[in-house]
Amino acid sequence: RIPRELQRGGVQRPHPLNSPTAMGRVKKEEDLGPEADENWKSKDPKALAHEIATFMGGEWPTRPVRKVQLAADGVPTGDEELFEMTMLNPTLLSEMSLKTRFLFLEVYLEDLQDVYSEVMETLKGDKVTYDSLRKFKHLAISLAFNAVSDVCQQAFDKTDFDPFPEVAPDERPGCVCPLDVKAFTQQTAAAVALVKMMVDAEGELPPAAEPRIVRVEKKFYYDDI
């Protein structure tokens, strides 16, 4: 039964606690961007990404000009040699769908060369800035290129960080690290060559990847009981 004080003209009034102003303010609707089921015109994944990025006046990001080009002298051409040299763990890549892997690697190929240039632009003598090298290491280890990541870590291990506290995550203004530039360049070139090999194959993993994929059998906790 509806209480009389909540009735007016035969229409039920909302309970005060259910009113949008019950807590003293009107909740502003949050703009969450385009709906997931937006009727996009593009069907090709690349074109679709561009359409979404530029939706309602958005801008498509542009890449910086590479001031330092990566030299590929002496880099192996075979997949087995490249896997051996780069120490790439292909497990993460193997878990992606072919289409996703192809699109991911296309972007990653450019990122490696862009950030390599960023690091080398800071080179003075045998030292580079911590901030740029840290950025590169994050990029390398995100796909498990372990060899070039180790070269970066060796530079960090030789650096005294105490006079250069972090002012923000991964930012130490004025801090420089002694880098083995030759090893860094060779390992980066090998990583780029291996990624390009997979991009040219439209995301297909080369034969040398298969024995290096870590496969974990999924079990429920009670399987061994």
Side-chain angles (χ1 to χ4, degrees):
R1 181 179 180 183
I2 303 174
R4 181 175 300 173
E5 61 270 18
L6 296 181
Q7 297 182 19
R8 178 176 295 175
V11 179
Q12 182 177 354
R13 298 171 60 196
H15 191 280
L17 291 180
N18 293 330
S19 169
T21 58
M23 300 303 292
R25 66 177 65 176
V26 177
K27 185 177 179 180
K28 184 179 179 180
E29 292 187 4
E30 184 179 359
D31 182 8
L32 299 178
E35 295 290 335
D37 58 352
E38 182 81 25
N39 187 23
W40 305 107
K41 298 178 182 178
S42 306
K43 302 303 177 185
D44 176 76
K46 294 180 185 178
L48 178 59
H50 187 278
E51 183 181 350
I52 293 174
T54 55
F55 183 76
M56 294 184 68
E59 293 185 1
W60 183 255
T62 57
R63 290 188 174 275
V65 177
R66 294 175 196 151
K67 297 180 181 178
V68 180
Q69 299 299 319
L70 179 63
D73 300 337
V75 174
T77 56
D79 60 324
E80 184 65 41
E81 293 85 357
L82 286 171
F83 268 98
E84 285 287 340
M85 185 173 177
T86 61
M87 297 172 58
L88 171 65
N89 183 336
T91 303
L92 177 61
L93 286 172
S94 72
E95 294 175 349
M96 300 179 187
S97 68
L98 181 62
K99 183 178 291 186
T100 297
R101 184 163 59 238
F102 179 41
L103 294 174
F104 176 85
L105 288 172
E106 278 192 311
V107 175
Y108 193 83
L109 178 62
E110 301 301 317
D111 287 346
L112 275 176
Q113 297 172 85
D114 286 349
V115 184
Y116 169 82
S117 178
E118 287 184 35
V119 174
M120 297 302 289
E121 286 170 34
T122 71
L123 180 65
K124 292 183 179 180
D126 67 340
K127 295 183 178 180
V128 297
T129 62
Y130 166 85
D131 293 359
S132 64
L133 191 60
R134 184 67 175 170
K135 180 179 180 181
F136 186 94
K137 184 182 179 184
H138 278 309
L139 178 64
I141 204 62
S142 69
L143 201 56
F145 275 105
N146 294 307
V148 72
S149 176
D150 288 346
V151 173
C152 298
Q153 187 58 50
Q154 290 167 9
F156 298 144
D157 292 342
K158 298 175 183 177
T159 303
D160 181 10
F161 293 116
D162 290 340
F164 306 99
E166 279 192 323
V167 298
D170 298 330
E171 289 187 23
R172 296 177 183 268
C175 183
V176 293
C177 308
L179 178 66
D180 185 337
V181 175
K182 181 179 179 180
F184 178 67
T185 297
Q186 289 177 337
Q187 287 294 345
T188 303
V192 167
L194 185 49
V195 173
K196 187 176 186 305
M197 180 183 292
M198 292 183 280
V199 169
D200 290 344
E202 298 187 350
E204 291 284 357
L205 295 177
E210 181 59 33
R212 294 174 168 84
I213 296 173
V214 179
R215 303 191 186 280
V216 179
E217 183 180 357
K218 295 181 180 180
K219 289 186 176 183
F220 292 106
Y221 71 95
Y222 52 77
D223 279 356
D224 296 330
I225 298 179

